[in-house]
Amino acid sequence: MNIEIKEYDTERYREGLEDLAGHYEKILSLLGEDPTREGLEKTPMRVAKAMQVLTKGYTMDAHKILTDALFKEDYNQMVIVKDIDFFSLCEHHMLPFYGKAHVAYIPNGYITGLSKIARVVDIFAHRLQVQERMTQQIKDCIEETLHPLGVMVVIEAKHMCMQMRGVEKQNSVTTTSDFSGAFEQAKTRQEFMNLIHNTQI
């Protein structure tokens, strides 16, 4: 194995990058390819770097992201950040699933920076995931950190494991939701759903 790792990679990427690339080199061989041919020579390191980027959420603290921009505020109506694009990897086949997350919370004395909500989604998406757990993790993180009057998360996604293999249904969309507090009331949930799907700006 002769996989080059440049000095700056040790700062940009996590420990174990070279070992990870070595495993991908072996995978190429097991698939029947020649990892030494020109087109594949640098592929193991490229894939190793890509996988570390796609799983960077393991090294990030979503709770800290929220508390870094925490402000006291008396506002107690619904705050919605919708259409948050995300890409994640299904833990069952390590194929991408992607879509949009819609997050709402009702403050209880404190608000957080709006971009921080999107960052929380990003952190949990950058891990090996299932959509159901990711939905719950986002909701739990906001609930445990901000202690709001209620939180609701809806995720709509397409899964490449359904599009490229298995049933091969290209147009199917999976929707998951989780909620707490004030959103346990059907009227409040419906208001959120109406706002994320009907609001025009």
Side-chain angles (χ1 to χ4, degrees):
M1 180 178 67
N2 183 24
I3 295 175
E4 179 183 2
I5 181 167
K6 297 178 181 177
E7 186 175 346
Y8 66 80
D9 287 336
T10 59
E11 298 178 5
R12 296 178 58 194
Y13 298 97
R14 307 197 297 275
E15 185 179 352
L17 183 65
E18 192 168 7
D19 288 340
L20 190 58
H23 287 296
Y24 279 114
E25 184 178 45
K26 186 171 183 180
I27 287 171
L28 288 173
S29 295
L30 292 171
L31 291 174
E33 266 291 358
D34 175 9
T36 65
R37 71 176 175 85
E38 184 179 7
L40 292 176
E41 189 176 3
K42 296 182 180 179
T43 295
M45 182 56 73
R46 290 192 188 107
V47 177
K49 290 177 180 178
M51 289 303 297
Q52 284 206 352
V53 170
L54 293 171
T55 59
K56 65 182 180 181
Y58 289 120
T59 65
M60 304 172 77
D61 185 343
H63 296 275
K64 187 176 186 303
I65 291 294
L66 293 176
T67 56
D68 280 349
L70 199 60
F71 309 101
K72 187 168 179 58
E73 189 62 55
D74 291 333
Y75 185 83
N76 60 0
Q77 300 300 313
M78 201 180 299
V79 177
I80 300 174
V81 183
K82 70 173 190 172
D83 295 331
I84 303 169
D85 292 316
F86 75 89
F87 296 87
S88 190
L89 289 176
C90 167
E91 67 180 32
H92 298 146
H93 301 98
M94 291 181 69
L95 289 172
F97 68 95
Y98 60 95
K100 295 183 182 296
H102 315 287
V103 181
Y105 74 99
I106 300 174
N108 186 20
Y110 289 90
I111 61 172
T112 189
L114 297 177
S115 67
K116 306 306 180 185
I117 300 295
R119 288 282 304 279
V120 168
V121 172
D122 194 53
I123 287 171
F124 288 114
H126 279 80
R127 300 176 182 183
L128 299 183
Q129 279 289 11
V130 295
Q131 183 176 332
E132 298 88 341
R133 183 173 66 238
M134 178 176 153
T135 305
Q136 185 176 24
Q137 287 176 332
I138 295 167
K139 187 268 293 181
D140 288 347
C141 178
I142 295 170
E143 186 174 38
E144 293 165 6
T145 308
L146 301 182
H147 306 290
L149 298 176
V151 185
M152 185 164 179
V153 177
V154 171
I155 293 179
E156 301 167 304
K158 289 189 173 185
H159 292 248
M160 298 300 284
C161 59
M162 288 184 64
Q163 294 177 307
M164 295 176 64
R165 55 162 302 283
V167 294
E168 296 185 5
K169 300 301 181 186
Q170 280 71 35
N171 297 313
S172 64
V173 177
T174 300
T175 302
T176 51
S177 67
D178 198 6
F179 51 84
S180 65
F183 289 95
E184 293 177 3
Q185 301 176 33
K187 181 179 179 180
T188 308
R189 291 199 304 277
Q190 190 58 53
E191 179 185 354
F192 170 59
M193 297 302 293
N194 290 341
L195 286 169
I196 66 174
H197 288 125
N198 300 326
T199 302
Q200 297 294 323
I201 297 177

